Structure formats: C-alpha cells, structure tokens
Amino acid sequence: MQAKVTAPELPASYLPREPLRQRLDGFLDRRLTVLRAPAGFGKTTVLTDIARDTTEQGRIVGWVSLDDDDTPEVFGSYLAYAFERAGLDLNLPTTQDAWSSAPAAHQVGLLARAIEQHAEPCLLVLDEIDRAPPETVQLIDRLLKRAPRNLHAALACRSDPELDMATHFLDGEAVLIGAEAFRFSTGEIARYFAGELTRRELDAVEEHTAGWPIALMVHRNLRDGAAAESGSDAALFTGNYIGVRLLRDLSPGDRGYLLDLAVFDCIEADLVDEVLGSSQARVRVTGLRALDGLLLPVDENSATQRLHPLLREHCLDLLEDADLPRKCALHKRLALAQCRRGHLTDSWRHAREAGDRRLVGDLIERFGVFQLWLRGGAMQLNTAGGYLAPEITASHPRLELLRCVVLVLASRHREAQALFESVARQTDGFARDRDGGDDEALATDRIFARAVLAGAAAATLDGELEHGLPADESASASARHTWLCAAWHERARFEESRRHGLQAQALFSGDLHFGRVFVDVYQGMSAMARGRVPDAMESYTRARRGIRTCFPTDPCLAMTIEVLKMEIDLERGRTPVSPRRSLKGVAELREVWADILIAALGVSAELTLELRGGAAVIERLTELVEDTRATGSAVLSINLSALLAYYLVESGRVEEAGTVWRDHGLPCAVSELLDLGRRSWRTVESLSCARIRLLAARGEYAAAGELADGLCATAAAHGLTRTRMRALALSMVVADGAGQPDQAQARLVEFLRLVGEADYVRPLVRHRDVSRGVLKRLLDTDVDADVRRAAESMLPQVDVPAVRESGIFTLREVQVLQEIRRGHPNHEVGNRLGMTLDGVRYHLKNIYRKTGAGSRTDAVRFALSAGALS
C-alpha cells in the first residue's frame, strides 16, 4: 500500500521548467488541474514536483497511483491511507451522515468531511486515473463534485478518464495541460544536457526525440554512462518503453492500424485512405486518443501530422516482424500513390523500402533526366542517381543517360563521355529505346545529356533540337523552348532567347519549378549582357523568389543568384558588402550550368584580387585550371585558361601568360576567337580580352588593335553592351600604347556614350593607369556636353595613382590608404574608388588589424614608414 500512496522520487536529472510551472500556477486556487499526455511525457514527474512543493508549504497532500485493479473499495482504502500518512486527522468527530451506506462511498464521504473540518487547503493527486475501473472513476467524479472547497485535485491521464470535467471547466474551476506543454523546447534540451551538446548533436537529439521527455532521459542516461552505442541503445530502450507502456492501451484493431500508419512519412487523410483502401482515415486517426502528443504537426501551418520518430521506428519494426509482406506491399502502394502526386523523392524511397529495385527504376524512368531536371535541377538528378542500381540502369538507356549527367555534375567528365558513347551503341545512335520504352523521350534525354557533356546548350543547335524535340506536344514543346532560351543566349541572340523563354514559361505545368527559375536566370543574364541592369535585377529577383519558395534547402541555387548579382555590382564598380563571405560562397558553388559557373569564376577572381592581391588570384586559377583539365571539361578549361592568362598579364608576368596560351592550345586567329557560332559569348569575351591584353603587353599593337576592333564590331552587332564596353576600353589602352592618342580618345568617347545606357565602369577603372590620362586629355578638348558630363563623373573613380600591392597591404587597401592620406572621409573614398561605404569600412578594418593602428592618421603613418605609400 505504501508504494501506491507515495509520490516517486524526482530523477537526479530532473530539470525545472519555468514555462510549464507557470502554466500550473494556481492549482490550489482551483478545483481541478488535469495533465493529459501519452506515456513518457513526464506527467508523473511534474505531479511529484507539485506534491513536493505543496508539502514543503505545510499543506496536506494525498497521493494515489491508480491501476485497473483499483475497485471502489480498494481505492477508498488507499485514499484514506494516503491522507492519513500525509497528516490528516481522520478521527475528527462528526455528526453528519456520510454520502452513502455503500462501504466505498461511505469511506470517501467521511474522508471529505475530515478534509472540510481541516479547513486548510488540501491537495489530492491521482496518477494514471484513466487506468481505474469505470465504477472507481464514477466515485472520483462524485468526490470532485461534492468535495469541500478546500480540496483541490491534480490528475494525470493519457486519455479522457470519462470524468465530468465540463462542469468544472464551465465554472472556471479547471485547467487542462496537454502534451505540447510537456514537450521540451530546443533551449530546454540544451539545458537538460548541461550545455554539453554541440549544435549538430542538439539538432540530432531534437529531431530524433521531438522533445519527448522519456526519450531525452534515455539519451542523457546513456550519454552519462558513456555507452559505446548510445544512439542505438537509446532507440532500444525507448522502443521497449513504447511497447510496454504505450501500446498496451490500444485495442488489437487500433494497434494494427497504427502499425500500418507507421509506413507513412506524413499522415494525410486522402493518401492514407488511398493506400489502405479505407474511407475514414481522418476520423480513425483522430480517434487514437492514446497517441495525443505523439502525433506531431508537420509544420506550424499544416494540419498534416506525422508519428513521433521513435514511435514510428518501433512500429515499423513490429510490422516487419509480424507481417513483412504487408509492409512491403504498403510501401509499394505508397510509392505509386506519391508518384501520382508528383512527390518523386518520396516515391523512390518507398519503392526502395519495398525492396523493389525495378519499381524504383520504372518510377524514375517515367520522367527521364530532362523532365527531372526541369522539376528540381541538379539536386533532383543527384537524388535520383542515388536510388539507381547498376543492374537496373544497364537495361534502361534513359537511366544510363541520367547516370551520365550525374557523373558530369561530379566532375567525372571522361567517365560520363564513355557512358554516353556506350548508350549510343546500345540504342543504334539513340534511334530506339529499350523494349517497351519511349523513343521520343530517349531523344529528349539524349539532347540534354549531350549538352551537359559539351557544357553548352548551343551544342545542340545543329538541327538536333528541331529534329529531336517536336513542337506539337506540350511536354516536348516546353523542353524545346527552354533549351532554345539557353542556346540562343549563349550565341548572343538575345531576342530569340527571350521569345523562347516566354513560350517555355507559358507551357510549364505546375510542377516544373526549376524550369521557371532556369528561364528567369537566363533572361537576367541576357539583360545583363545587353546592359539593361533593371531588367536583369528584376529577373534575378523573380528567380530568387522561386528558389525560396520551391527550393529553400538548396544553398547552391540561392548562391547562384547572389553570384549573378555580384557580377553586376562588380561591372558597376561596386564592392560587395562582405567580400570575404561572398568569396567563400562563390568558391562553394557547384553543380550549376557551365555558363553560370563561368560567371562565378570571373566574380571569384575579382573578389580574390580585392582581398588577397594578384598573386593569390593566379595561384587559385592555376589550381583550378589543372583540376579542370584533369576532369575533361573543355568549356571550363578554355575559360579558366584565358582568365589565368589575363591576370598573369595584369601582374606583369607576360611570358608566363604566353606559355599558358601556347600549352593550353588557346586560339590565336581573329576569326576563331570571335566565332559566336562555335562558342558562347562569355567564352568569346574571355578569350578575346585576354588575347588583346597579351598582344598589347608584347608590343604587338597592330594585332591587338585588329582583335579589339573585331570584338567591338561583333559585340555591337549582337547587342553585347558589356562585351563592347570591355572591348572599347582595351582598344583605348592599345591605341594609347601604340602612340595613337586621337584613336584612344575616340574609343573613350564611344565608351562614355554607352555609360549612359549601362554604368559598367569596371573596364575604365581596371585600366585606370591609361584611362586617367586619356580622360584628362579629353576634358581639355571641345566635346559635347553629354560626353563631358560622363567624363567628369568618371574621373574621380579613376583619378588614383597606379599602385601595386605591397608585402603588407593588398592593392585595394593601398588605394584606400591613399585616399585617406588626401583627407577624404569614408563616403568620399567610396565614391572615388567605386566602393560602397561598407566596403570602405571593411578594408579599413583589415588595415587597422594589420597595422595595430587606432586611427586613420596612424594607419597612414605606418604605411608611409613601411614604404607602402610614396
């Protein structure tokens, strides 16, 4: 009897939780406090804490732990014994009759009278009241209704104990504390583990336990015991608790239903009914009251629920042991249902859980590599590739093409090329799919895989698109227009690219989310190339909105938009607010289309120059060139080699640049360099600009001028404003070096007229050693007002003496120091150097760190003494 009427000891690891205690405050001011939650949520522990605190206040506390053997007579004895042990005098004289002549009711009535005569508040704690027999519950109900005002009750239950609690709630005399109040928050989990968990460990524990107190207790005890396999042991012990304590209250029918529910990642009523062949899933699930608190919402705004992870794991194990064929059949049905809903990754996973690899392959093949890419981009393709087994793909050419693309994404180009050629032989040059396959879908996937291998969508512009992707069906038409949008962009036919992009957007169905983002990105890049900055930023913003909505967990996609925006900022002479963090993000960019990666490489080189100087740029580009040539990516290799040669010339290492050009087989003929029929406009720009710089540095001004003029003409013919402005600046440099000042001024005037359309000042700032002098000579001549205004606005940005990075400071830091030495405030330094105010502050912070200076004056004094300024 003593065990039944004694509150258990608080566990050594008990954590007082203020938010929960605040919810429970005032239990001696109301009639009834009900704690309702499944097993393991800490109801008994909380009641123990309440009972202990109340006892310490000098109050009478009667504790009874109930179970299914507690008949009214037994309960009456326990109740009297509990209050007697707590110090209540049961021998008080009374002349009033008890409630009933029935023994149990009579005994409880006498007890109530003793409590009333005690006069001071008394607390009755009933643990697991829902386990008591119905007749005992009725007796308790009678006690609560007729008890004296100084009796207050605190009850713990897993489900509704069928007390008449409504009366007390309507009278404002009761409060119900549900399972969510007992669930540990992230901060409470961290405190419970005494702050010893790393962020990753904390996230893992929170995900696995969902704040379930019993699971947290097991994890902590095992951790404190330094168990070798704490994770698996925690699952074992928690699973044992679930089996013994939680499932005991379920009927056989509810138990079987719960085991079936464990197969579902999320419990959506329509999906459950479809898979189980039922019609009342919502009602049935809601009826599992014993699982309140272990049915978790998927998110704050969703009515969809999921089983607690530990409960689900345990039930899946039970289902596998009891009926493995049923478990596999449910997974298979669920895979097909999720595929019909367009939840592809879930579909593939359930097919694999069913043990049916052929079904996995069939489900992936239904869409194919190109349609999967339109839906989810590189992340979707990599996910699909991870589900494929070699024995399945070997007989499915379209799945082999998917593997081919995944190999390219992993920078394994030579393996991908060999696999592509193998599929070509297997399908008679992609003329036929496997038996029962889809020849038209094979043609579509072949075009995509070939373009990915080539690193350019325009590689398929030789009639292959028109032949392989007919425009008479919406699926093929959307693919065709998407591809032509990218292909014509690469060939600098921007109006055609825009037209096809708009047609693709109009044809996209609701789930081709990545296709929309892809088209927006290419529309933005086309606008950027044409100098239409507002249009470019609008397209990038639209793409970023699509990424945040549909791909919030893909950091690579988010970084893509940031890189493209940084590209525009750099063209306009603006330094990113946090260049070091931006450089880190650019360096981590992976699995994007080659055209975007080329842009990222250019941004990365400029940021590296800003932060670390020319030597660091060359070192990094050299590593990238070697890595890329080893993997076999021809497009990236050409662009990286050209970029390396350009920065070598900029750093005065002309001979090394010539060696790179020769050894890497870069083109020399003007016609080959300017061939937009074979190369993308970015590659043409990169090769031509680097070649012009190399020729001019060698003193070959005639050849450099010819190429610069050719690049100007080609860019003007195709509306390539950015390329044209770079070519004009280089032509100015070449003419100035060749002793042709009039020609240099003429090229500068053309550049300044374009600045009014696109403020791409970077080419003049880059070559400020020349542009400063040409600008000043131009301002001494009779030029029209528009050109003069443009020249005057440009002069502050280039009117900085040419400097080289010192052993202490980077080039940009030296420029900042020079402006500070002239007495300019931070905002003026930014205006003169084409930097944001945050960019100036960033460089000043680095200067202070390097010099140990506490002021601008001290920093300049240090730089002068170190020879960094003259």
Side-chain angles (χ1 to χ4, degrees), residues 321-561:
D321 292 340
D323 194 346
L324 179 59
R326 176 169 180 76
K327 179 183 177 183
C328 293
L330 289 174
H331 274 300
K332 185 172 181 178
R333 278 187 247 161
L334 188 51
L336 293 169
Q338 292 286 41
C339 185
R340 287 190 289 271
R341 284 165 166 75
H343 303 159
L344 303 189
T345 303
D346 290 339
S347 171
W348 305 334
R349 181 164 44 78
H350 284 291
R352 185 172 64 184
E353 290 294 328
D356 194 336
R357 290 181 173 179
R358 184 166 295 279
L359 177 60
V360 175
D362 289 343
L363 292 174
I364 294 176
E365 190 189 41
R366 288 186 187 187
F367 297 90
V369 59
F370 187 61
Q371 285 294 319
L372 288 177
W373 177 76
L374 282 179
R375 286 169 173 266
M379 179 178 283
Q380 183 83 87
L381 297 183
N382 278 324
T383 301
Y387 281 96
L388 291 174
E391 59 267 28
I392 299 300
T393 62
S395 58
H396 291 63
R398 293 175 64 208
L399 296 183
E400 289 284 67
L401 288 177
L402 192 154
R403 281 189 56 222
C404 173
V405 172
V406 171
L407 286 170
V408 174
L409 294 175
S411 298
R412 295 161 63 181
H413 293 78
R414 291 192 174 88
E415 294 176 62
Q417 184 63 48
L419 180 58
F420 185 83
E421 293 168 0
S422 172
V423 177
R425 292 190 296 270
Q426 178 186 346
T427 58
D428 295 337
F430 299 98
R432 57 175 181 81
D433 197 5
R434 65 175 178 84
D435 291 342
D438 186 334
D439 294 345
E440 183 178 317
L442 176 64
T444 300
D445 289 348
R446 176 253 182 141
I447 291 170
F448 180 71
R450 178 172 172 238
V452 171
L453 275 167
T460 58
L461 280 174
D462 53 4
E464 190 172 359
L465 274 172
E466 287 74 5
H467 175 71
L469 296 178
D472 55 348
E473 295 182 20
S474 59
S476 296
S478 64
R480 182 171 180 268
H481 288 304
T482 302
W483 218 233
L484 285 169
C485 171
W488 288 131
H489 164 85
E490 291 171 7
R491 291 294 180 262
R493 291 169 60 173
F494 299 121
E495 282 302 325
E496 291 181 66
S497 172
R498 181 176 181 276
R499 177 169 56 83
H500 285 291
L502 292 175
Q503 289 179 284
Q505 296 277 28
L507 290 170
F508 284 147
S509 59
D511 50 8
L512 300 183
H513 304 299
F514 183 77
R516 293 189 183 85
V517 170
F518 181 79
V519 169
D520 282 334
V521 166
Y522 267 78
Q523 301 284 42
M525 289 196 296
S526 293
M528 181 278 301
R530 302 170 80 177
R532 300 176 179 178
V533 173
D535 292 344
M537 297 302 285
E538 181 182 349
S539 292
Y540 292 156
T541 299
R542 194 164 53 244
R544 182 167 61 182
R545 192 159 51 241
I547 291 168
R548 287 177 174 173
T549 302
C550 303
F551 308 100
T553 61
D554 191 337
C556 187
L557 279 181
M559 193 62 216
T560 294
I561 304 303

Side-chain angles (χ1 to χ4, degrees), residues 32 103 184 211 225 255 281 290 370 431 460 477 652 666 736 804 832 842:
L32 182 62
F184 275 56
R255 180 186 175 92
F370 187 61
T460 58
L666 300 181
D736 186 78
R804 296 288 179 188
R832 295 175 69 84
Y842 171 82

Side-chain angles (χ1 to χ4, degrees), residues 84-95:
E84 185 177 37
R85 289 187 73 251
L88 183 68
D89 186 358
L90 297 183
N91 297 313
L92 293 174
T94 178
T95 58

